[in-house]
Structures are given as C-alpha cells and as structure tokens.
Amino acid sequence: MKNRFFSRMSVLTLVAVVLVSFSASAKRATITGRVLCDGKGVAGVTVTDGNVFTKTNEAGEYSLSSNLDYSHFVQITVPSGYEVPCEGAVPQFFHRLDRSGSNKQSFDFTLSKVDQSNYVVLTFADSHVLGGGTRSSHRDVERFNTQLIPVVKSYIDEQKAKGKPCYIVHLGDMTQPGGWPERRRDGRRGYGLDDYIRDMNIGTPVFSALGNHDHNPSPKGTVFDESTVYQSRANFMKMVGPAYYSFDIGREHYIVIDNTFVLTKDSGCNSYEGATSGYQYRVCEQQMSWMEKDIDLLDAKKYDRIVLCVHNPLHKGNGGSRMLRADRLIKAFKGFEMLVLSGHSHGDTTIRVEHNGKECIEIVHPSTAGTAWYTSWCVEGSPGCVEAFHFGGERIKRDFVPWGEAHEKGLTYRVYDNVHNKWHYPIKSSTGKKWSHARDIEESHYRDKPAIIVNIWGAYTCTFTESTGGTGNVDNRCYDLAYRDWYWDYYERSLNEEFEYGDRLRKANWQTPTNGRTHCWRYTPADPTAVVTVEAKDVWGNVIAKFTAQAAE
C-alpha cells in the first residue's frame, strides 16, 4: 500500500513538471532534503517549489526536479500537530533556492510537536503603517507599537496560559507602496516590510499575505502579464518569503494566496478583462495551478474545512462574485467547507453562501488601522482591531481585539437611543439614513418616530423584542453615528488647519463614512416607550450581544 502511495506521488510530481512550461534552455535543479522532528524523519509531508509537488518518504526524505526560471523557494506544508522554528516573526517553512543555476541543492526542515486540539489564529488586516505617508496620520507607527501591539501581546499571553497555541495571519496591506522603506520628501525614513517584520516579532509565528499596496509597481511603460507578474512581489519575497503557500493547524488546512494581479501599480482597481492599468482582483495562473494541486493532495477525512487567507474579498455583500475568474478558484474547493478570511474593504462584513454543495463563510475584516490611525474607529463604526478565531471547540468563536477607545472602555457594540444612550441629537426613524447629519436633517419631518440604532460588530443576525408585545420596523445598513459625525467634524477642522500637519485628515474615498455592512440596524418600535431587548448572534450561532434599549420615555 505504501509503495502504491509513493508511486502515485511520483506520477503527480511528473505530471506537475510537464504542466510547467519550460524551454530547452530552462535552468533546472534537483532539490533534495529531509523533514525532521527530534532528529527523526517525518513521512508524508508535502513539499513544493511553488509548481511541482512531492511528499516525504518513511525516512522523511524528499526529492523534486525544479525549473529555476519559475521557482524561487522550496517549502513544506507544515503538518497538523507540528510547528517550524521562526526567524524573528517569520516561520521557517521555506528555503530560498539558488537561482544562479546550481543543478543540485539540498535543504532540510525542522519540526517540533505541539498540541493543536484547541488553538487561536489572530488576523490583522490593512494596518497601513507608512511612517507618516500621504493620507495617513504621522502617528501611525507610534499607535501601532504603543497601543495595538501591547494589547495583542497581552491577549496572546492569556490564551497561551490556557494552553492554546496562537498564530498570526496578516491579510495584507502591511505597508505601502511595495513595502520598500523609501525616504519621504521631508527627509524622514518611511516604514517598510523590514520594519513590519521587526515590530511583529512578539513570540508568535506570523504568516503574511500580500495586499495590493505591498506590491511593486511595474517598470515605467510596461504592463505585467502572467509571465512577469511575479516581479510585482519582488520586495515581499525578498524581505518576507513566498507569496503563496499552505500549512495545517489542528483540523484546518490553511492556504495563503496573492489575489491581487498588478498590471502597472498598486492603486486603481480595474476589475474587467482586458484592463491595462492599475490592478485586478484575480489569481495568476501559476498560483491557481499550484492551489488546485495542493487541494487534490488532501485527505478530506483529516480536515473540517479549508481556510483561505487572501487580501481582496472573494464575494460581494450579496454573495455574488467579486473576483475575476472566481469560478475556477471556487471549483478547486469541491468537497470542503470553506472559511475565507479577507480584508481590503476596511469594514466588518460577514457573508454566507454555498459552493459545490458545501458551506462557505467569508469574514471581511475591518482595518487594523481604524481610519489609517487618525482614529481607532473604522468607516462603518467597527473598531480598529485584530480578530481572534478560536478553533477546536464545537463552534468557531471570534473575538475582536481592539485598540483605542473600544479597548479602553471594553466596548463590543454601540447603541444609540433616546433614554439611556442619548446622542447629541434625537434618534428618529430617518437618523443614520444619509452619510452626514446635515443630509439626515434635510429628509427628516414631523412624522418621524423615535428609534434605536445598534452597531454590533461581528453580528450576522439581530432580533428586537418589545416588552409590550409590539413589532416594529427594522432597517439594516444604516450609518454609525459616532464615526459619521466624527469624520465630518474632524475633516472640517483639518481644512481650517486646527491640527498639526501630520494629524490633518485628507479627504479620500476610503476614509469617508459608509453604512454598517451587515452589523448595523435601526429599529423603530411599534410602542416608542417599550423596553426593547436586542440580541445579536454571529454567523456560527454564538450569542455575542444582549442588552436593552428604549426609543422614548
């Protein structure tokens, strides 16, 4: 049986080699080595160069033929129940290939055993630490290091004390542009991926995905295509590691891919076939082929789900496709439940759909940077934060680990009513409908009724129960009042130069208020004086908030 297994792997490797295009002049190398734990070989570990695959034999040995024109790394899928050592914050599941043409190269990997029956994955998204760049507060580095990181480290220490190993996944846009610490016009050094790796070294493995702003722009006058787009990842690969890879933790198989296809630069999304500038939401052919093979090698009985970690969301809020050529990507996951962790949109959104007869849940993350570190709140009123996903129990559980006001006050939601949580103007059935208070007032009229607005980040469903038995009107996707009103006040004061230069807000579409995605509701009760019980659940059915509010006395 074992011989048949390894024979099958040899065939898969051969087929994969054939599928990789190469010319007679291709630089080829035989890559060999061992995967060891406590000095003993570990069998059945997946090894890949980003194109072809093989698995280790009984002695932990592997061998594969690599085309150095296409491959930059040899890497393993860290198996469940194991960890690899870290170099600083970066887990060493990979080695850099000598692409100069050496035809025989050897690399060993070291594993250590760990109990992953219960574990935590903490996710960062869109931290945008620039060192004071355009449209970003010049306090970004300070707040990242003095407000966010200590909170995250404290949370990790608490979980480790409970026996839960912790891992970090950053979903992209760590820095910008291209992650290279260029010097600013005022002479200050910008913040680069090298700084990010240094500051994330808090004793926990950090797995990173490329965001659009972590890419290199194309050389002037050129457009990246399938054969050259890897060059847009040059700085990331130099300072961090592979742009796409997989690893196992517990009963989850994690796949990290780069779903930003840079045509010319990191800004200006052109999500249509035939575009020749900006970037697109899509996966290049080399990654897509690699991912299909990676999934084909999985034994479905060993996994509860695949967790796909990407920067750009796969789905729109209504569940429709947001990516180009998404059908092929989704098809590759046949037979597996999917959990998609994404960012880019800077707001909290939960999407639940079905693909291939299996459930797919996508969690689109709020920005870790809040609104790029000017404020600790995001554009739809969720806090700038890291999210913590707990695996191994009956259900997945998610915690928000915020910095700033939400952390200081212990907030897990915001509620606006006219009795106990009075805002500085009355909450009515039209409040929060428009993107500014002034526009709300234009549409308000004497028929407006007292109402309640709740913003419960992480919520997927919310029920309202009146103490007097009535049933009112629920309106989803309204604006969070605190962020909306803060924005317009702060922006006006910035125009009046009431702040120091580095603290002035510069108007940009990604900073302006947006409605509450899937977690903000306005309820107009049938009986304005009724005490309304509000109960919210996340997408896994966990009750995450329960409280009372009252529209009028």
Side-chain angles (χ1 to χ4, degrees), residues 233-402:
R233 309 175 190 126
N235 289 342
F236 182 90
M237 291 193 298
K238 178 179 180 180
M239 290 187 274
V240 183
Y244 55 98
Y245 51 95
S246 65
F247 55 94
D248 292 344
I249 312 177
R251 290 187 57 81
E252 280 71 40
H253 180 68
Y254 290 79
I255 298 177
V256 180
I257 56 174
D258 173 18
N259 68 342
T260 300
F261 194 105
V262 171
L263 298 163
T264 57
K265 58 184 179 179
D266 63 342
S267 59
C269 181
N270 290 309
S271 290
Y272 59 90
E273 296 285 359
T276 57
S277 65
Y279 69 94
Q280 297 174 317
Y281 303 145
R282 70 179 169 100
V283 179
C284 70
E285 176 60 31
Q286 186 175 11
Q287 285 187 99
M288 187 74 79
S289 177
W290 170 87
M291 188 186 72
E292 289 170 335
K293 299 168 202 168
D294 179 83
I295 295 172
D296 281 344
L297 292 175
L298 299 180
D299 180 353
K301 296 177 181 178
K302 295 182 178 180
Y303 302 96
D304 289 336
R305 63 189 58 81
I306 293 177
V307 182
L308 180 65
C309 303
V310 291
H311 180 64
N312 302 302
L314 265 62
H315 302 93
K316 299 177 182 177
N318 62 5
S321 175
R322 188 171 177 176
M323 278 182 54
L324 286 170
R325 309 175 190 180
D327 289 349
R328 180 177 169 188
L329 184 145
I330 295 299
K331 186 178 180 181
F333 290 85
K334 184 177 181 179
F336 289 94
E337 289 190 6
M338 291 176 63
L339 173 60
V340 181
L341 305 178
S342 61
H344 187 61
S345 296
H346 288 220
D348 173 42
T349 305
T350 301
I351 303 160
R352 189 176 199 165
V353 293
E354 185 177 289
H355 293 306
N356 306 314
K358 293 289 185 177
E359 181 178 69
C360 175
I361 294 172
E362 179 162 9
I363 305 295
V364 185
H365 288 58
S367 169
T368 295
T371 300
W373 306 99
Y374 287 102
T375 173
S376 61
W377 296 100
C378 295
V379 292
E380 35 47 279
S382 62
C385 65
V386 167
E387 295 193 21
F389 294 85
H390 294 249
F391 294 91
E394 185 178 341
R395 297 173 178 170
I396 298 173
K397 293 185 178 180
R398 173 169 56 148
D399 290 339
F400 285 74
V401 185

Side-chain angles (χ1 to χ4, degrees), residues 15 41 52 65 92 99 108 115 192 203 239 246 306 324 326 374 389 417 448 455 473 501 505 509 523 550:
V15 170
V52 300
S65 177
Q92 297 301 292
R99 303 182 74 233
D108 291 344
D115 180 2
M239 290 187 274
S246 65
I306 293 177
L324 286 170
Y374 287 102
F389 294 85
D417 67 14
D448 274 349
N455 186 358
N473 179 60
Y501 172 76
L505 188 67
N509 288 336
Y523 183 71
Q550 197 169 353

Side-chain angles (χ1 to χ4, degrees), residues 69-86:
D69 289 334
Y70 293 89
S71 299
H72 299 258
F73 304 91
V74 60
Q75 60 204 55
I76 63 170
T77 297
V78 182
S80 177
Y82 293 91
E83 291 180 349
V84 289
C86 289

